[in-house]
Structure formats: structure tokens, C-alpha cells
Amino acid sequence: MAEHAIVVENLVKRYGDFEAVRGISFRVKRGEIFAFLGPNGAGKTTTVHVLTTLLKPTSGKAVVAGHDVVDEPMEVRKRIGIVFQDPSLDRELTAYENMYIHGRIYGLKGSELKEKIEHLLKFVELWEFKDKPVKTFSGGMQRRLEIARSLLHEPEVLFLDEPTIGLDPQTRAHIWDYIRAMKEEHNMTIFLTTHYMDEAEQLADRIAIIDHGKIIAEGTAEELKKLVGNDVVYLKLDAPEELKCLRAEFIRGCKILADGRVALEVENAAEALPRLFELVAEKGIKILEVTYHRPTLNDVFLHLTGREIRDEGAENPMAAFVRMRMRR
Amino acid sequence: MEALTTMAYRQLKRFARAKSRVAGMIINPLLWLVFFGMGWSKVFDNSMARTVFGGVDYLTFLAPGIFAMTVFNQSFVAGVSVIWDKQFGFLKEVLVAPASRKESILGRIIGDSLVTLTQGAIILALTFPLAENLKPSGFIPALGVGFLLAMAFSGFGVSLALRMESMEGFQMIMMVLMLPLTFLSGAIYPIDTMPDWMKALAYVNPLTYAVDGARHFLVGASVAKFSLGVDLGVLTVLAAVLVGLAMAEFERATIG
């Protein structure tokens, strides 16, 4: 088995004049959770559709689970599972029937299929609702059913396109638990797209930040945050101006702000704080206020693009509206 | 084969779920049969009219036509319902599956045809007590004719739905197609007494051959216009072509 579950080289997808994906390259290792983080319209879903053989790329190469998506789409389809951004269930049928039909199409049958359906519906806690039509399900229940369905044929690589979009915080946390359990129990490779920073940070081993069809940064959450700089501790000290800039080997920079507070750059604020307390105690200085700031992925995005990732609604109110309509 | 049987199974399951809708679908042809058919049957209750209708009473003449009309209508609607799968996303689930797409859509068309045929069979069964001269032995063979017709128009509906983005245009197409095709099929009056230009249209109307074929089995060769071979031949070729087109179209289908 190859080391990489997904290899993408210089992938381009164009619709007429519009270039949705503009030459991206990345690799996803087996057994890792890889997140595509970016605003709506960044090209995340288009990439997923190319990798899952539903769209033909304009140029470039993509190999998923050892097979080229253009040359051997059937081989790829056998080895992947996908939860689409928009629901893709048969609403008239029951949860069980949806699972059963999926299993049959993927070549499962008999007692093996029955056992797997039962196991997975119990895994996502829908077994007691198995005979209810899907149209009576809440958004979160539908999502869980789709996750169960995508696991039925034991895919090598699982694609989750915005798995928690439109769900309430509790349900989101619940879905995250399932995703972690899938990785741990099945050592599955998971490719996930999201525009929620917390989701990428909570789940992903590595994150690629994508904007306007290009990958603008890639790495672990910690690595990405380093791009922005250090943690900053803000102190309000009861001390004369010249004593405010504390000196120690763990303090990398110091600035006195207009309001009189002092901003200290440190590598890790959590570890620096106790040492700072000791330091000021030694000097007999009193601390009046302490706050600190650690760079977030949002800061990283802001740093790289000059925009906030959450801003896409404000930047283009129509986009959010159109998405709502499409998801209906 | 798995994809074919599974998709056929899905269509039958959905049908079984929607019993109330089934009743609604049967009402329209029943209105035709009862009000239109029984209304005119008294007008045509004389020997001269009987000659025009091939020597049988009007309801007997009309019954195969209503049967074919029902199958034609419902199979077209069923085929076009692929558009709901597009909108509710189930289509993606099929497109991303490692199964033959040709088989999947063929399975769906067969499933839809069986559903349609069930509705046609109910209508046909209800006409037997009303029409005097229908042959019970023709019931099953007439369903065979109906199946060919259903396959053809389910296939046509699927092709159409794959090109459409919404249901809105579909109502128009229904209106434009359904009534003229029914009028020009010899279902409610014979083709022989039509003006020549209408006759020409009737000859190119596929529904004509389904009505005629059903009449062969349900009433008798003397009432039919074409030979049974022509009727079945035309329907078989038509079904093969339209289903083939739907399969080719589905094979190429992408999303977005």
C-alpha cells in the first residue's frame, strides 16, 4: 500500500471563464484527517467532486486510494465513501431502506449486510428510528444517517464535505465524536472540508487553507499559527514607565501600548504566564490586569488574505442567500 | 445485476409508500372512463355508430385507449421524477456508486414501468364491468403492450429530466404533449374517420400503436387498425431507442 491515500498535482477545474480550482497540489497520508479550510466559494466542494469522480478536472492529476480519478473512476468509487454537503438521502424511504439500498448497490448482501446496517445504525444512535421515513428526521439525524451510510462498504478514504454545516453546536460536537471514533477504530483516511476554524482545529491532523481556488498555506494547526507570530501577553502594571518592559530570556519582544499597557511577545503564553508572575514578584511590581492572545486560524487567514474567513457573508450577501436556497 | 434489481426495488418501495398518491393518479383516467365514456356510450348506442367503432359498443372501443393513456401519462411522469432525485440529492448517491450507471438507470426505468403497469392494471380491471365486450383473456397480453409503452416513455422522461433544472418547465411540456397525443392516438375515436392531415399525425404518434395493440388483445383483430406485428414492432423499437438514449445520457451525467 502506498503511503499516501490522496495525491493531487496541479489540479485545475474551470467552468467556462471561471476557474474554481486554480492549480492545487497536496498529499494526504493514510490514516490521517486532512482538512480543507476556507470560505464558501473557495473551491472546496469542487475539489471534493473531482476527487470523488463526479467532475472531470480541466487539467492536473488526482490519485485517490491508489487509482487515478480520471482513468479508473470505478476503482476509485469502490474505495471511497462520501457525505455530501447537501443531503443525498431518499426522503420517502426509511433509514433502514436507505442503508439497504446503498449496501446492495455496493455489492453487499444477506446476513453480512444486515449485521453491518445494524452495527452502523447503532453506532450513530439511529437504530430505534430505523423504520421511520427519512423525511421525518432532523438535520442532525439525516447527517448521522449519511455518515453511517458512507461507512457501510468500509471505504479506504472518506470524504466529508462540510459535515456539520447548519447544525446546532451540540449536534456538531456529537458528529465530531463520530469522526474521531471512525479514525481511531478503522484507521480511516478522512478528507474533510469546512469553513469552521474550530472544526479544522479539533479534528484535523493537517490543514490546508484554501482561498479563491488556491492553497495558500498548509500544515498542522500549530504550524499554521506560527505563520502569524508569537502569543502576546498584555499586562497592566503598577510601575514606572521605564520598568514596564520586563526582560527575560523567554520574552521575545516588548511594546508599550498607547493605553499604558505593555504587550509582551512570548512563544507560549500558557507557559510564560507563571514565569511572568514570578518575575514581577521579584521586582516588586504589582500586576493590575492580565490578558493574553494566542493566534487563531482566523488570524492566520486574516494574515494571509487580509480578510476574515467568516466574512464571506458580509463580502457577498448573495452567496449566503444562494447557498441557503440550494440547501433547502 | 445488483444495481438493476436494487434500483427497481427502490422504485417499487417508493410506490408502496405512497398509497394515497396512487389513488390520486387513478382518479383522472376514471373520470374519463365514467363521465366521458358512459356519457357518449348512450349517444353511440345504435348500429351505425357501432359500425364506425368496429362493431362494438363505445366503452369497449374506449377501454384500451384509456388503459394506454393511463400508462403513457404515468410512465412519463415517473421518468421525469428523476428531477426530484436531482433536487433532493439522491442522484449523487447513485452517480458516485461503483455500479454500472447504465444498469442503475435501466433498473429504475423497469421499476417505474412495473409501478405504472400496476396503475394501468387497476384501471383496466375497473373497465371490465362497464364495457360489454372486453376479452378477459386479453388482460395479461394487454399488460405486455402497456409494459413496452411504459418503458419507452419512462426512458423518454428520464432523458428529459436529466436535461432539466427544475419542475417548472415540465408542466408546460405535459400540457403541450399529453392531450394532442391522446386525441391523435385513435383512443377516443377511430383513425379512419379522421381528416387526412390528422391521420398523418396519428401514424407518427407512438401512442397510436399502443392503443391499437391493446385493442388487438382486449377486443379483437377486427377492431384494430394495424397488424399486431406492426404494433408490437413499433413499440419494441421505440422502447429500445428511448431506453437506450436514457442509458447513454445517464452514463455521461455529471453534477454541478
Side-chain angles (χ1 to χ4, degrees), chain A residues 154-203:
Chain A
E154 296 180 3
E156 286 174 36
V157 184
L158 184 65
F159 291 88
L160 302 170
D161 193 4
E162 296 274 8
T164 64
I165 196 166
L167 300 179
D168 60 85
Q170 244 177 331
T171 313
R172 292 184 64 207
H174 213 100
I175 299 237
W176 290 350
D177 290 339
Y178 293 132
I179 295 173
R180 288 193 197 100
M182 282 188 275
K183 177 189 149 92
E184 251 140 63
E185 283 170 33
H186 303 281
N187 192 32
M188 200 175 279
T189 309
I190 299 175
F191 180 95
L192 142 104
T193 78
T194 183
H195 70 287
Y196 297 118
M197 269 143 319
D198 54 344
E199 187 157 284
E201 198 161 357
Q202 286 274 338
L203 294 175

Coordinates of all heavy atoms in Angstrom, one line a residue, chain A residues 154-203:
Chain A
E154 N -17.2 0.0 4.0 CA -15.8 0.1 4.5 C -14.8 0.8 3.6 O -13.9 0.2 3.1 CB -15.3 -1.3 4.9 CG -16.2 -1.8 6.0 CD -15.7 -3.2 6.5 OE1 -14.7 -3.7 6.0 OE2 -16.4 -3.8 7.4
P155 N -15.0 2.1 3.3 CA -14.2 2.8 2.3 C -12.8 3.0 2.9 O -12.6 3.0 4.1 CB -14.9 4.1 2.1 CG -15.7 4.3 3.4 CD -16.1 3.0 3.8
E156 N -11.8 3.0 2.0 CA -10.4 3.4 2.5 C -10.3 4.8 2.8 O -9.5 5.2 3.7 CB -9.4 3.0 1.4 CG -9.2 1.5 1.2 CD -8.3 1.3 0.0 OE1 -7.4 2.1 -0.3 OE2 -8.5 0.3 -0.8
V157 N -11.0 5.6 2.0 CA -10.9 7.1 2.1 C -12.3 7.6 2.2 O -13.2 7.3 1.4 CB -10.2 7.8 0.9 CG1 -10.1 9.3 1.1 CG2 -8.8 7.1 0.6
L158 N -12.5 8.5 3.3 CA -13.8 9.0 3.5 C -13.8 10.5 3.2 O -12.9 11.2 3.7 CB -14.3 8.7 4.9 CG -15.7 9.2 5.3 CD1 -16.7 8.4 4.5 CD2 -15.9 9.0 6.7
F159 N -14.7 11.0 2.4 CA -14.8 12.4 2.1 C -16.0 13.0 2.9 O -17.1 12.5 2.8 CB -15.0 12.7 0.6 CG -13.8 12.3 -0.2 CD1 -13.6 11.1 -0.7 CD2 -12.9 13.3 -0.5 CE1 -12.5 10.7 -1.4 CE2 -11.7 13.0 -1.2 CZ -11.6 11.7 -1.7
L160 N -15.8 14.1 3.6 CA -16.9 14.7 4.4 C -16.9 16.2 3.9 O -16.0 16.9 4.2 CB -16.6 14.6 5.9 CG -16.5 13.2 6.5 CD1 -16.0 13.3 7.9 CD2 -17.8 12.5 6.4
D161 N -17.9 16.6 3.2 CA -18.0 17.9 2.7 C -18.8 18.8 3.6 O -20.0 18.6 3.6 CB -18.5 17.9 1.3 CG -18.3 19.2 0.5 OD1 -17.7 20.1 1.1 OD2 -18.8 19.4 -0.6
E162 N -18.2 19.6 4.4 CA -18.9 20.4 5.4 C -19.8 19.6 6.2 O -21.0 19.8 6.2 CB -19.7 21.5 4.7 CG -18.9 22.5 3.9 CD -18.4 23.7 4.7 OE1 -18.5 23.7 6.0 OE2 -17.8 24.6 4.1
P163 N -19.2 18.7 7.0 CA -20.1 17.7 7.7 C -21.0 18.3 8.7 O -22.0 17.7 9.1 CB -19.1 16.7 8.4 CG -17.8 17.5 8.4 CD -17.8 18.4 7.2
T164 N -20.7 19.5 9.3 CA -21.6 20.0 10.3 C -22.2 21.3 9.9 O -22.7 22.1 10.8 CB -20.8 20.2 11.6 OG1 -19.8 21.2 11.4 CG2 -20.2 18.9 12.1
I165 N -22.3 21.6 8.7 CA -22.9 22.9 8.2 C -24.4 22.9 8.6 O -25.1 22.0 8.5 CB -22.7 23.1 6.7 CG1 -22.9 24.6 6.4 CG2 -23.5 22.2 5.9 CD1 -22.4 25.0 5.0
G166 N -24.8 24.0 9.2 CA -26.2 24.2 9.5 C -26.7 23.5 10.7 O -27.8 23.4 11.0
L167 N -25.7 22.8 11.5 CA -26.2 22.1 12.7 C -25.9 22.9 13.9 O -25.0 23.7 14.0 CB -25.4 20.8 12.7 CG -25.6 19.8 11.5 CD1 -24.8 18.6 11.7 CD2 -27.1 19.5 11.3
D168 N -26.7 22.6 15.0 CA -26.5 23.3 16.2 C -25.2 22.8 16.9 O -24.8 21.7 16.6 CB -27.7 23.1 17.1 CG -28.0 21.7 17.5 OD1 -27.3 21.2 18.4 OD2 -28.7 21.0 16.7
P169 N -24.7 23.6 17.8 CA -23.4 23.3 18.5 C -23.3 21.9 19.1 O -22.3 21.2 19.0 CB -23.2 24.4 19.5 CG -24.1 25.5 19.1 CD -25.2 24.9 18.3
Q170 N -24.4 21.5 19.8 CA -24.4 20.2 20.4 C -24.3 19.1 19.4 O -23.5 18.2 19.6 CB -25.7 20.0 21.2 CG -25.5 19.9 22.6 CD -26.8 19.8 23.3 OE1 -27.8 20.3 22.9 NE2 -26.8 19.1 24.5
T171 N -25.1 19.2 18.3 CA -25.0 18.2 17.3 C -23.7 18.1 16.6 O -23.1 17.1 16.3 CB -26.1 18.4 16.3 OG1 -27.3 18.7 16.9 CG2 -26.3 17.3 15.3
R172 N -23.1 19.3 16.4 CA -21.8 19.4 15.8 C -20.7 18.6 16.6 O -20.0 17.8 16.1 CB -21.3 20.8 15.7 CG -22.1 21.7 14.7 CD -21.5 23.1 14.6 NE -20.2 23.0 14.0 CZ -19.3 23.9 14.3 NH1 -19.5 24.9 15.1 NH2 -18.1 23.8 13.7
A173 N -20.8 18.9 17.9 CA -19.8 18.2 18.8 C -20.0 16.7 18.8 O -19.0 15.9 18.8 CB -20.0 18.7 20.3
H174 N -21.2 16.3 18.7 CA -21.6 14.9 18.6 C -21.0 14.2 17.3 O -20.4 13.2 17.3 CB -23.1 14.8 18.5 CG -23.7 13.6 19.1 ND1 -24.2 13.6 20.4 CD2 -23.8 12.3 18.7 CE1 -24.6 12.4 20.7 NE2 -24.4 11.6 19.7
I175 N -21.2 15.0 16.2 CA -20.6 14.5 14.9 C -19.1 14.4 14.9 O -18.5 13.5 14.4 CB -21.1 15.4 13.8 CG1 -22.7 15.3 13.7 CG2 -20.5 15.0 12.4 CD1 -23.3 14.9 12.5
W176 N -18.5 15.4 15.6 CA -17.0 15.3 15.8 C -16.6 14.0 16.5 O -15.6 13.4 16.1 CB -16.5 16.5 16.6 CG -16.6 17.8 15.8 CD1 -16.9 18.0 14.5 CD2 -16.4 19.1 16.3 NE1 -16.9 19.3 14.2 CE2 -16.6 20.0 15.3 CE3 -16.1 19.6 17.6 CZ2 -16.5 21.4 15.5 CZ3 -16.0 21.0 17.8 CH2 -16.2 21.9 16.7
D177 N -17.4 13.6 17.5 CA -17.0 12.4 18.2 C -17.1 11.2 17.3 O -16.2 10.4 17.3 CB -18.0 12.2 19.4 CG -17.8 13.2 20.5 OD1 -16.8 13.8 20.6 OD2 -18.8 13.4 21.3
Y178 N -18.1 11.2 16.4 CA -18.2 10.1 15.4 C -16.9 10.1 14.5 O -16.4 9.0 14.2 CB -19.4 10.2 14.6 CG -20.7 10.0 15.3 CD1 -21.7 10.9 15.1 CD2 -20.9 8.9 16.2 CE1 -22.9 10.7 15.8 CE2 -22.1 8.7 16.8 CZ -23.1 9.6 16.7 OH -24.3 9.5 17.3
I179 N -16.6 11.2 14.1 CA -15.5 11.3 13.1 C -14.2 10.8 13.8 O -13.4 10.1 13.2 CB -15.3 12.8 12.6 CG1 -16.6 13.1 11.8 CG2 -14.1 12.9 11.7 CD1 -16.6 14.6 11.3
R180 N -14.0 11.3 15.1 CA -12.8 10.8 15.8 C -12.8 9.3 16.0 O -11.8 8.6 15.8 CB -12.7 11.5 17.1 CG -12.3 12.9 17.1 CD -11.9 13.5 18.4 NE -12.0 14.9 18.4 CZ -13.0 15.6 18.9 NH1 -14.0 15.0 19.5 NH2 -13.0 16.9 18.9
A181 N -14.0 8.8 16.3 CA -14.1 7.3 16.5 C -13.8 6.6 15.2 O -13.2 5.5 15.2 CB -15.5 7.0 17.0
M182 N -14.3 7.1 14.1 CA -14.0 6.4 12.8 C -12.5 6.3 12.5 O -12.0 5.3 12.1 CB -14.6 7.2 11.7 CG -16.1 7.1 11.6 SD -16.7 7.9 10.1 CE -16.9 9.5 10.5
K183 N -11.8 7.4 12.8 CA -10.4 7.4 12.5 C -9.7 6.4 13.5 O -8.9 5.6 13.0 CB -9.8 8.8 12.8 CG -8.3 8.9 12.6 CD -7.8 10.2 13.1 CE -6.4 10.1 13.7 NZ -5.4 10.4 12.7
E184 N -10.1 6.4 14.7 CA -9.5 5.5 15.7 C -9.8 4.1 15.5 O -8.9 3.2 15.5 CB -9.8 5.9 17.1 CG -8.7 6.6 17.8 CD -9.0 7.8 18.7 OE1 -9.8 7.6 19.6 OE2 -8.6 8.9 18.3
E185 N -11.1 3.8 15.3 CA -11.4 2.4 15.2 C -11.1 1.7 13.8 O -10.8 0.6 13.7 CB -13.0 2.2 15.4 CG -13.3 2.3 16.8 CD -14.8 2.4 17.0 OE1 -15.6 1.8 16.2 OE2 -15.3 3.1 17.9
H186 N -11.1 2.5 12.8 CA -10.9 1.9 11.4 C -9.6 2.4 10.8 O -9.3 2.1 9.7 CB -12.1 2.2 10.5 CG -13.4 1.7 11.1 ND1 -13.7 0.4 11.0 CD2 -14.3 2.3 11.8 CE1 -14.9 0.2 11.7 NE2 -15.3 1.4 12.1
N187 N -8.9 3.3 11.5 CA -7.7 3.9 10.9 C -8.0 4.4 9.5 O -7.2 4.2 8.5 CB -6.5 2.9 10.9 CG -5.2 3.5 10.5 OD1 -5.0 4.7 10.9 ND2 -4.4 2.8 9.8
M188 N -9.1 5.1 9.4 CA -9.5 5.5 8.1 C -8.9 6.9 7.7 O -8.6 7.7 8.6 CB -11.1 5.7 8.2 CG -11.8 5.7 6.8 SD -13.5 5.8 7.2 CE -13.8 4.1 7.5
T189 N -8.6 7.0 6.4 CA -8.2 8.4 5.9 C -9.4 9.2 5.7 O -10.4 8.8 5.1 CB -7.4 8.2 4.6 OG1 -6.5 7.2 4.7 CG2 -6.8 9.5 4.2
I190 N -9.4 10.4 6.3 CA -10.6 11.3 6.1 C -10.2 12.6 5.5 O -9.2 13.3 6.0 CB -11.3 11.5 7.5 CG1 -11.7 10.1 8.1 CG2 -12.4 12.5 7.4 CD1 -12.3 10.2 9.5
F191 N -10.9 13.0 4.5 CA -10.7 14.3 3.8 C -11.9 15.1 4.1 O -13.0 14.7 3.8 CB -10.5 14.1 2.3 CG -10.3 15.4 1.6 CD1 -9.0 15.8 1.3 CD2 -11.3 16.2 1.2 CE1 -8.8 17.0 0.6 CE2 -11.1 17.4 0.5 CZ -9.8 17.8 0.2
L192 N -11.7 16.2 4.8 CA -12.8 17.0 5.3 C -12.7 18.4 4.8 O -11.6 19.0 4.8 CB -12.8 16.8 6.8 CG -13.1 17.9 7.8 CD1 -14.5 17.5 8.3 CD2 -12.2 17.9 9.0
T193 N -13.8 19.0 4.4 CA -13.8 20.4 4.1 C -14.7 21.1 5.1 O -15.6 20.6 5.6 CB -14.4 20.7 2.7 OG1 -15.8 20.7 2.8 CG2 -13.9 19.7 1.6
T194 N -14.3 22.3 5.4 CA -15.1 23.1 6.4 C -14.7 24.6 6.3 O -13.7 24.9 5.7 CB -14.7 22.6 7.8 OG1 -15.6 23.3 8.8 CG2 -13.3 22.8 8.2
H195 N -15.7 25.4 6.7 CA -15.3 26.8 6.8 C -15.4 27.2 8.3 O -15.3 28.3 8.6 CB -16.2 27.7 6.0 CG -17.6 27.8 6.5 ND1 -18.5 26.7 6.3 CD2 -18.3 28.8 7.1 CE1 -19.7 27.1 6.8 NE2 -19.6 28.3 7.3
Y196 N -15.5 26.2 9.2 CA -15.4 26.4 10.6 C -14.0 26.2 11.1 O -13.5 25.0 11.0 CB -16.3 25.5 11.4 CG -17.8 25.6 11.1 CD1 -18.5 24.6 10.5 CD2 -18.4 26.8 11.4 CE1 -19.8 24.7 10.2 CE2 -19.8 26.9 11.1 CZ -20.5 25.8 10.5 OH -21.8 26.0 10.3
M197 N -13.4 27.2 11.7 CA -12.0 27.0 12.1 C -11.9 26.0 13.3 O -11.0 25.2 13.3 CB -11.4 28.4 12.6 CG -10.7 29.0 11.5 SD -11.0 30.8 11.5 CE -12.6 31.0 11.9
D198 N -12.9 26.1 14.2 CA -12.8 25.2 15.3 C -12.9 23.7 14.9 O -12.2 22.8 15.4 CB -13.9 25.5 16.4 CG -15.3 25.5 15.8 OD1 -15.4 25.6 14.5 OD2 -16.3 25.4 16.5
E199 N -13.6 23.5 13.8 CA -13.8 22.1 13.3 C -12.4 21.6 12.8 O -12.0 20.5 13.1 CB -14.8 22.1 12.2 CG -15.2 20.7 11.7 CD -16.6 20.7 11.1 OE1 -17.5 20.8 11.8 OE2 -16.6 20.7 9.8
A200 N -11.8 22.4 12.0 CA -10.5 22.0 11.4 C -9.5 21.8 12.6 O -8.8 20.8 12.6 CB -10.0 23.1 10.5
E201 N -9.5 22.7 13.5 CA -8.6 22.6 14.6 C -8.8 21.4 15.5 O -7.9 20.7 15.9 CB -8.6 23.9 15.4 CG -7.4 24.1 16.3 CD -7.3 25.6 16.7 OE1 -8.1 26.4 16.3 OE2 -6.3 25.8 17.5
Q202 N -10.1 21.1 15.8 CA -10.5 20.0 16.6 C -10.1 18.6 16.0 O -9.7 17.7 16.7 CB -12.0 20.0 16.9 CG -12.4 21.1 17.8 CD -12.3 20.6 19.3 OE1 -12.3 19.5 19.6 NE2 -12.2 21.6 20.2
L203 N -10.4 18.6 14.7 CA -10.3 17.2 14.1 C -9.1 16.9 13.3 O -8.6 15.8 13.2 CB -11.6 17.1 13.1 CG -12.9 17.1 13.8 CD1 -14.0 17.1 12.7 CD2 -13.1 15.9 14.7

